[in-house]
Amino acid sequence: SYELTQPPSVSVSPGQTAKITCSGDALPIKEAFWFQQKPGQAPILVIYKDTKRPSGIPERFSGSGSGTTVTLTISGVQAEDEADYYCQSADSSGTYFVFGTGTKVTVL
Amino acid sequence: QVQLQESGPGLVKSSETLSLICTVSGASLRSYYWSWIRQPAGRGLEWIGRIYTTGTTSYNSSLKSRVTLSLDTSKNQVSLRLTSVTAADTAVYYCAGDDLLAGLYHGGQGILVTVSS
């Protein structure tokens, strides 16, 4: 089955930049989406189609991609950004979706 | 404002069928694609499946033999049915409506389902 791999954790000081990677074989041909999940809450969409930001998401969230890896960047990290982040994409045939393994972002 | 509310039994016996309903307000079922996602305590998100406005479904290959999603347009509800449950199916279950390529995503708050032996 298809897998998306993320680092388990990223730590960053307030005001600095956090980068979270997501690797998967089909990412060169399938769009990636990023979700933020805070403890006890449902996930929310923060990036869609690799690089686009939904309405209401702060500009400090951005996405990029290169080959089999996509990256979520949080610039000028704030304490409220401490959360789990998950990438999501489809397999190469577009038959089904999968979530990445998840990354816990800790703001020091 | 689109709102989704999951409902159903919070406790299901092992080997029985888990049935959940997601009631949608503020949008027609024809406006979005509908998904179910689950999350065991302390673990990551798992995509269960998706149902399209045409009724076409797509399921996680590891659950495909046990899961069914359906739409009830008269009640504006999305249903999940998972058969032959085990303790491994204990999780918070979320429903979601989306048009991801348009950057639209609405999720419910989730419902905890515990499978007991």
Side-chain angles (χ1 to χ4, degrees):
Chain A
S1 63
Y2 185 48
E3 295 181 349
L4 295 174
T5 303
Q6 300 178 232
S9 63
V10 168
S11 297
V12 60
S13 299
Q16 299 303 303
T17 297
K19 289 183 179 291
I20 306 163
T21 58
C22 170
S23 299
D25 290 341
L27 289 176
I29 59 171
K30 292 299 179 186
E31 295 87 354
F33 307 88
W34 288 94
F35 291 83
Q36 176 194 69
Q37 186 184 33
K38 295 183 179 180
Q41 298 184 19
I44 64 168
L45 182 68
V46 295
I47 292 291
Y48 70 102
K49 290 181 69 174
D50 296 346
T51 62
K52 300 184 181 300
R53 201 170 45 249
S55 174
I57 300 301
E59 292 184 5
R60 63 181 181 273
F61 289 89
S62 63
S64 61
S66 179
T68 58
T69 299
V70 293
T71 302
L72 172 69
T73 300
I74 312 173
S75 303
V77 166
Q78 300 182 8
E80 66 195 54
D81 300 330
E82 186 163 284
D84 294 325
Y85 292 84
Y86 297 89
C87 59
Q88 185 193 45
S89 189
D91 71 311
S92 58
S93 67
T95 303
Y96 61 89
F97 284 89
V98 64
F99 283 101
T101 49
T103 299
K104 181 177 181 59
V105 170
T106 299
V107 181
L108 301 172
Chain B
Q1 181 183 1
V2 182
Q3 293 186 317
L4 289 74
Q5 181 66 59
E6 302 90 346
S7 61
L11 188 63
V12 180
K13 291 184 178 179
S14 183
S15 80
E16 296 190 344
T17 296
L18 180 161
S19 295
L20 297 176
I21 290 174
C22 176
T23 301
V24 180
S25 58
S28 164
L29 293 189
R30 297 181 181 85
S31 301
Y32 295 98
Y33 306 116
W34 304 96
S35 301
W36 286 90
I37 297 158
R38 70 181 183 179
Q39 185 172 37
R43 299 182 63 181
L45 301 173
E46 180 179 27
W47 183 80
I48 296 173
R50 201 182 202 201
I51 184 165
Y52 299 84
T53 54
T54 58
T56 301
T57 53
S58 176
Y59 298 127
N60 184 323
S61 57
S62 68
L63 299 171
K64 189 173 184 177
S65 63
R66 299 194 292 129
V67 67
T68 304
L69 302 189
S70 59
L71 301 176
D72 186 334
T73 54
S74 67
K75 296 180 180 179
N76 230 37
Q77 293 177 334
V78 186
S79 297
L80 164 69
R81 188 170 178 268
L82 184 66
T83 62
S84 303
V85 298
T86 70
D89 296 308
T90 294
V92 175
Y93 286 75
Y94 298 98
C95 67
D98 72 76
D99 185 349
L100 286 177
L101 293 180
L104 301 174
Y105 181 87
H106 304 282
Q109 282 307 298
I111 181 170
L112 173 62
V113 178
T114 301
V115 177
S116 68
S117 55

Short mmCIF file of all heavy atoms in Angstrom, two decimals, chain B residues 62-100:
data_model
loop_
_atom_site.label_atom_id
_atom_site.label_comp_id
_atom_site.label_asym_id
_atom_site.label_seq_id
_atom_site.Cartn_x
_atom_site.Cartn_y
_atom_site.Cartn_z
N SER B 62 -7.02 -1.47 3.14
CA SER B 62 -6.96 -2.33 4.32
C SER B 62 -8.32 -2.52 4.99
O SER B 62 -8.49 -3.42 5.82
CB SER B 62 -5.97 -1.76 5.33
OG SER B 62 -6.46 -0.56 5.87
N LEU B 63 -9.29 -1.68 4.62
CA LEU B 63 -10.62 -1.76 5.22
C LEU B 63 -11.70 -2.11 4.20
O LEU B 63 -12.86 -2.32 4.57
CB LEU B 63 -10.98 -0.41 5.86
CG LEU B 63 -10.07 0.08 6.98
CD1 LEU B 63 -10.43 1.52 7.34
CD2 LEU B 63 -10.20 -0.82 8.21
N LYS B 64 -11.32 -2.18 2.94
CA LYS B 64 -12.28 -2.26 1.85
C LYS B 64 -13.31 -3.38 1.99
O LYS B 64 -14.47 -3.20 1.64
CB LYS B 64 -11.52 -2.42 0.53
CG LYS B 64 -12.38 -2.30 -0.71
CD LYS B 64 -11.52 -2.30 -1.95
CE LYS B 64 -12.38 -2.07 -3.19
NZ LYS B 64 -11.55 -2.00 -4.42
N SER B 65 -12.88 -4.50 2.54
CA SER B 65 -13.80 -5.64 2.66
C SER B 65 -14.84 -5.45 3.75
O SER B 65 -15.83 -6.19 3.81
CB SER B 65 -13.01 -6.93 2.92
OG SER B 65 -12.34 -6.84 4.16
N ARG B 66 -14.64 -4.46 4.62
CA ARG B 66 -15.53 -4.29 5.77
C ARG B 66 -16.30 -2.97 5.79
O ARG B 66 -17.19 -2.80 6.63
CB ARG B 66 -14.72 -4.39 7.08
CG ARG B 66 -14.02 -5.71 7.30
CD ARG B 66 -13.53 -5.83 8.74
NE ARG B 66 -12.46 -4.90 9.07
CZ ARG B 66 -12.46 -4.10 10.13
NH1 ARG B 66 -13.50 -4.09 10.95
NH2 ARG B 66 -11.43 -3.30 10.36
N VAL B 67 -15.98 -2.03 4.93
CA VAL B 67 -16.53 -0.69 5.04
C VAL B 67 -17.50 -0.37 3.91
O VAL B 67 -17.30 -0.81 2.76
CB VAL B 67 -15.40 0.35 5.11
CG1 VAL B 67 -14.64 0.44 3.80
CG2 VAL B 67 -15.93 1.71 5.53
N THR B 68 -18.53 0.40 4.25
CA THR B 68 -19.47 0.90 3.26
C THR B 68 -19.83 2.34 3.61
O THR B 68 -20.19 2.63 4.76
CB THR B 68 -20.77 0.06 3.23
OG1 THR B 68 -20.45 -1.30 2.98
CG2 THR B 68 -21.70 0.58 2.14
N LEU B 69 -19.71 3.24 2.64
CA LEU B 69 -20.18 4.60 2.80
C LEU B 69 -21.42 4.80 1.93
O LEU B 69 -21.51 4.24 0.83
CB LEU B 69 -19.10 5.60 2.37
CG LEU B 69 -17.74 5.56 3.06
CD1 LEU B 69 -16.91 6.78 2.65
CD2 LEU B 69 -17.89 5.51 4.57
N SER B 70 -22.33 5.62 2.43
CA SER B 70 -23.53 5.90 1.65
C SER B 70 -24.03 7.30 1.93
O SER B 70 -23.67 7.91 2.95
CB SER B 70 -24.62 4.87 1.95
OG SER B 70 -24.95 4.89 3.31
N LEU B 71 -24.86 7.81 1.01
CA LEU B 71 -25.46 9.13 1.14
C LEU B 71 -26.97 9.00 1.26
O LEU B 71 -27.58 8.17 0.57
CB LEU B 71 -25.14 9.99 -0.08
CG LEU B 71 -23.68 10.27 -0.42
CD1 LEU B 71 -23.58 11.06 -1.72
CD2 LEU B 71 -23.01 11.02 0.71
N ASP B 72 -27.58 9.83 2.11
CA ASP B 72 -29.03 9.94 2.17
C ASP B 72 -29.35 11.41 1.90
O ASP B 72 -29.30 12.23 2.82
CB ASP B 72 -29.55 9.50 3.53
CG ASP B 72 -31.08 9.47 3.59
OD1 ASP B 72 -31.73 10.23 2.82
OD2 ASP B 72 -31.63 8.72 4.40
N THR B 73 -29.65 11.72 0.65
CA THR B 73 -29.86 13.12 0.29
C THR B 73 -31.14 13.68 0.90
O THR B 73 -31.24 14.88 1.12
CB THR B 73 -29.90 13.27 -1.24
OG1 THR B 73 -30.88 12.38 -1.79
CG2 THR B 73 -28.54 12.94 -1.85
N SER B 74 -32.12 12.82 1.19
CA SER B 74 -33.36 13.32 1.78
C SER B 74 -33.15 13.82 3.21
O SER B 74 -33.85 14.71 3.67
CB SER B 74 -34.42 12.21 1.77
OG SER B 74 -34.06 11.15 2.63
N LYS B 75 -32.17 13.23 3.88
CA LYS B 75 -31.87 13.64 5.27
C LYS B 75 -30.59 14.45 5.36
O LYS B 75 -30.22 14.89 6.45
CB LYS B 75 -31.76 12.40 6.16
CG LYS B 75 -33.04 11.60 6.28
CD LYS B 75 -32.82 10.40 7.19
CE LYS B 75 -34.10 9.58 7.33
NZ LYS B 75 -33.90 8.39 8.19
N ASN B 76 -29.92 14.65 4.24
CA ASN B 76 -28.62 15.34 4.22
C ASN B 76 -27.62 14.67 5.17
O ASN B 76 -26.98 15.34 6.00
CB ASN B 76 -28.77 16.83 4.55
CG ASN B 76 -28.07 17.71 3.53
OD1 ASN B 76 -28.05 17.42 2.34
ND2 ASN B 76 -27.46 18.79 4.00
N GLN B 77 -27.51 13.37 5.05
CA GLN B 77 -26.65 12.59 5.94
C GLN B 77 -25.70 11.70 5.14
O GLN B 77 -26.03 11.22 4.05
CB GLN B 77 -27.48 11.72 6.88
CG GLN B 77 -28.31 12.51 7.88
CD GLN B 77 -29.17 11.61 8.75
OE1 GLN B 77 -29.54 10.49 8.36
NE2 GLN B 77 -29.49 12.07 9.95
N VAL B 78 -24.55 11.48 5.74
CA VAL B 78 -23.54 10.57 5.19
C VAL B 78 -23.35 9.46 6.23
O VAL B 78 -23.23 9.75 7.42
CB VAL B 78 -22.20 11.28 4.96
CG1 VAL B 78 -21.21 10.34 4.25
CG2 VAL B 78 -22.39 12.56 4.17
N SER B 79 -23.32 8.22 5.77
CA SER B 79 -23.25 7.10 6.70
C SER B 79 -21.98 6.29 6.50
O SER B 79 -21.46 6.16 5.39
CB SER B 79 -24.46 6.19 6.54
OG SER B 79 -25.65 6.86 6.85
N LEU B 80 -21.52 5.75 7.62
CA LEU B 80 -20.38 4.83 7.63
C LEU B 80 -20.83 3.54 8.27
O LEU B 80 -21.45 3.55 9.34
CB LEU B 80 -19.22 5.43 8.43
CG LEU B 80 -18.11 4.46 8.85
CD1 LEU B 80 -17.32 4.00 7.64
CD2 LEU B 80 -17.18 5.12 9.87
N ARG B 81 -20.49 2.44 7.64
CA ARG B 81 -20.78 1.12 8.20
C ARG B 81 -19.51 0.30 8.13
O ARG B 81 -18.91 0.16 7.06
CB ARG B 81 -21.90 0.45 7.41
CG ARG B 81 -22.43 -0.84 7.98
CD ARG B 81 -23.70 -1.25 7.24
NE ARG B 81 -24.22 -2.51 7.74
CZ ARG B 81 -23.91 -3.70 7.21
NH1 ARG B 81 -23.09 -3.78 6.17
NH2 ARG B 81 -24.41 -4.81 7.72
N LEU B 82 -19.08 -0.22 9.28
CA LEU B 82 -17.86 -1.02 9.37
C LEU B 82 -18.21 -2.33 10.07
O LEU B 82 -18.62 -2.32 11.23
CB LEU B 82 -16.79 -0.26 10.15
CG LEU B 82 -15.41 -0.93 10.26
CD1 LEU B 82 -14.75 -1.01 8.89
CD2 LEU B 82 -14.53 -0.15 11.24
N THR B 83 -18.06 -3.43 9.36
CA THR B 83 -18.46 -4.72 9.90
C THR B 83 -17.32 -5.44 10.62
O THR B 83 -16.15 -5.07 10.49
CB THR B 83 -18.98 -5.62 8.76
OG1 THR B 83 -17.92 -5.86 7.84
CG2 THR B 83 -20.16 -4.98 8.05
N SER B 84 -17.68 -6.42 11.39
CA SER B 84 -16.73 -7.33 12.07
C SER B 84 -15.64 -6.55 12.80
O SER B 84 -14.44 -6.79 12.59
CB SER B 84 -16.10 -8.28 11.04
OG SER B 84 -17.09 -9.00 10.36
N VAL B 85 -16.04 -5.63 13.65
CA VAL B 85 -15.06 -4.78 14.33
C VAL B 85 -14.27 -5.55 15.38
O VAL B 85 -14.73 -6.54 15.95
CB VAL B 85 -15.73 -3.55 14.95
CG1 VAL B 85 -16.38 -2.69 13.87
CG2 VAL B 85 -16.74 -3.95 16.02
N THR B 86 -13.06 -5.05 15.62
CA THR B 86 -12.20 -5.55 16.67
C THR B 86 -11.70 -4.38 17.49
O THR B 86 -11.96 -3.22 17.15
CB THR B 86 -11.01 -6.33 16.10
OG1 THR B 86 -10.13 -5.40 15.45
CG2 THR B 86 -11.45 -7.40 15.11
N ALA B 87 -10.91 -4.67 18.51
CA ALA B 87 -10.36 -3.60 19.34
C ALA B 87 -9.54 -2.62 18.51
O ALA B 87 -9.44 -1.43 18.86
CB ALA B 87 -9.51 -4.20 20.45
N ALA B 88 -8.96 -3.07 17.42
CA ALA B 88 -8.16 -2.20 16.56
C ALA B 88 -8.98 -1.11 15.87
O ALA B 88 -8.42 -0.15 15.34
CB ALA B 88 -7.43 -3.03 15.51
N ASP B 89 -10.29 -1.26 15.90
CA ASP B 89 -11.17 -0.24 15.30
C ASP B 89 -11.57 0.84 16.30
O ASP B 89 -12.29 1.78 15.94
CB ASP B 89 -12.41 -0.90 14.71
CG ASP B 89 -12.09 -1.85 13.56
OD1 ASP B 89 -11.39 -1.41 12.63
OD2 ASP B 89 -12.53 -3.01 13.60
N THR B 90 -11.12 0.71 17.55
CA THR B 90 -11.39 1.76 18.54
C THR B 90 -10.66 3.03 18.14
O THR B 90 -9.44 3.02 17.95
CB THR B 90 -10.92 1.30 19.94
OG1 THR B 90 -11.72 0.19 20.36
CG2 THR B 90 -11.03 2.44 20.94
N ALA B 91 -11.41 4.12 18.01
CA ALA B 91 -10.82 5.36 17.52
C ALA B 91 -11.83 6.49 17.60
O ALA B 91 -13.02 6.26 17.85
CB ALA B 91 -10.37 5.20 16.06
N VAL B 92 -11.34 7.71 17.40
CA VAL B 92 -12.23 8.83 17.13
C VAL B 92 -12.48 8.84 15.62
O VAL B 92 -11.54 8.79 14.83
CB VAL B 92 -11.61 10.17 17.57
CG1 VAL B 92 -12.52 11.34 17.15
CG2 VAL B 92 -11.39 10.18 19.08
N TYR B 93 -13.73 8.89 15.26
CA TYR B 93 -14.13 8.88 13.85
C TYR B 93 -14.60 10.28 13.46
O TYR B 93 -15.46 10.86 14.13
CB TYR B 93 -15.23 7.86 13.61
CG TYR B 93 -14.74 6.43 13.63
CD1 TYR B 93 -14.41 5.80 14.83
CD2 TYR B 93 -14.56 5.71 12.45
CE1 TYR B 93 -13.93 4.50 14.86
CE2 TYR B 93 -14.09 4.40 12.46
CZ TYR B 93 -13.77 3.81 13.67
OH TYR B 93 -13.29 2.52 13.69
N TYR B 94 -14.03 10.79 12.38
CA TYR B 94 -14.39 12.10 11.88
C TYR B 94 -15.03 11.98 10.50
O TYR B 94 -14.57 11.20 9.66
CB TYR B 94 -13.15 12.98 11.69
CG TYR B 94 -12.35 13.30 12.92
CD1 TYR B 94 -11.20 12.58 13.23
CD2 TYR B 94 -12.72 14.36 13.75
CE1 TYR B 94 -10.45 12.89 14.36
CE2 TYR B 94 -11.97 14.68 14.87
CZ TYR B 94 -10.84 13.94 15.16
OH TYR B 94 -10.09 14.26 16.26
N CYS B 95 -16.06 12.78 10.25
CA CYS B 95 -16.54 12.91 8.88
C CYS B 95 -16.09 14.27 8.35
O CYS B 95 -15.82 15.19 9.13
CB CYS B 95 -18.05 12.76 8.77
SG CYS B 95 -19.02 14.07 9.52
N ALA B 96 -16.00 14.37 7.05
CA ALA B 96 -15.55 15.61 6.43
C ALA B 96 -16.19 15.77 5.07
O ALA B 96 -16.42 14.79 4.36
CB ALA B 96 -14.03 15.60 6.30
N GLY B 97 -16.45 17.03 4.73
CA GLY B 97 -16.92 17.37 3.41
C GLY B 97 -15.89 18.26 2.75
O GLY B 97 -15.39 19.19 3.39
N ASP B 98 -15.55 17.96 1.54
CA ASP B 98 -14.48 18.75 0.93
C ASP B 98 -14.58 18.89 -0.57
O ASP B 98 -15.27 18.12 -1.24
CB ASP B 98 -13.12 18.12 1.27
CG ASP B 98 -12.87 16.83 0.52
OD1 ASP B 98 -12.56 16.89 -0.69
OD2 ASP B 98 -12.96 15.76 1.14
N ASP B 99 -13.89 19.87 -1.05
CA ASP B 99 -13.51 20.00 -2.45
C ASP B 99 -12.05 20.42 -2.36
O ASP B 99 -11.71 21.61 -2.45
CB ASP B 99 -14.37 21.03 -3.16
CG ASP B 99 -14.06 21.09 -4.66
OD1 ASP B 99 -13.05 20.48 -5.09
OD2 ASP B 99 -14.81 21.76 -5.39
N LEU B 100 -11.22 19.45 -2.08
CA LEU B 100 -9.83 19.74 -1.75
C LEU B 100 -9.12 20.53 -2.83
O LEU B 100 -8.33 21.42 -2.53
CB LEU B 100 -9.07 18.44 -1.48
CG LEU B 100 -9.36 17.75 -0.14
CD1 LEU B 100 -8.59 16.44 -0.04
CD2 LEU B 100 -9.05 18.64 1.04
#
